Structures are given as C-alpha cells and as structure tokens.
Amino acid sequence: MNKVQMILKAKTYMEFMAHSIDPTTQEDVEDSVLQKCEIKDMFLFIASLLDELIKNNGEVINVASPIEFSIDKINKNMIAVSEQPI
C-alpha cells in the first residue's frame, strides 16, 4: 500500500470514528467518548486535513517559507517592460 492509499485509509477511519462506527467491522460503537460533539468534530477536522494531503499527492507543502520565483529565458522575453514604474 503506497503513501496516498494509507492516507486515504486513515481519512476513511477518521470519518467512520466521527460517526461512531468501528472502521474495522463497520458496526456501531456505543461509547460515551465517541458520542461527544467535540470528539466527532476533531475526527472530521483531521479527515479534512488528510483530504488536503491526498489532494497534494501525499506531500506536505510548507506555506510558511517563501517560494523562490524564477522565470525561464523564453518566458522572460514575453514580459513587456514599461518605461514608468507601475
């Protein structure tokens, strides 16, 4: 099982747990902890984070660090430079 498949499985497990269902047996779980709204909301939140990770092909993107801008020579020639500052 590759990385994205594992993340998808984890997301599915989180969604099952948020609905008080045992992900391995798919049976309802009668547990007071799993009935709490805060717990259910956290499972759904974690599932949404895992969904974002799946959309990025399993790669974590660090948006806190700046991304270096670069442009190749072909595209550089296509930029019109004005004589006045913008």
Side-chain angles (χ1 to χ4, degrees):
M1 191 177 303
N2 69 31
K3 184 178 179 179
V4 175
Q5 290 171 327
M6 287 293 290
I7 297 168
L8 183 58
K9 184 175 182 178
K11 175 187 175 273
T12 303
Y13 274 38
M14 290 291 108
E15 291 170 339
F16 274 113
M17 296 296 288
H19 295 97
S20 301
I21 299 171
D22 181 338
T24 59
T25 63
Q26 298 183 358
E27 295 177 6
D28 289 336
V29 177
E30 299 296 328
D31 187 294
S32 61
V33 174
L34 294 178
Q35 302 303 320
K36 294 181 180 180
C37 285
E38 299 88 11
I39 301 295
K40 291 176 180 261
D41 289 345
M42 282 299 114
F43 279 133
L44 290 173
F45 175 69
I46 294 167
S48 71
L49 293 176
L50 292 173
D51 194 40
E52 290 298 318
L53 193 56
I54 292 165
K55 289 177 186 175
N56 290 328
N57 201 27
E59 298 300 320
V60 176
I61 298 173
N62 184 359
V63 295
S65 62
I67 300 171
E68 184 178 322
F69 175 79
S70 65
I71 188 166
D72 55 31
K73 289 180 181 181
I74 295 171
N75 290 325
K76 184 178 178 183
N77 293 332
M78 295 174 59
I79 298 174
V81 179
S82 68
E83 293 184 20
Q84 297 179 357
I86 298 175

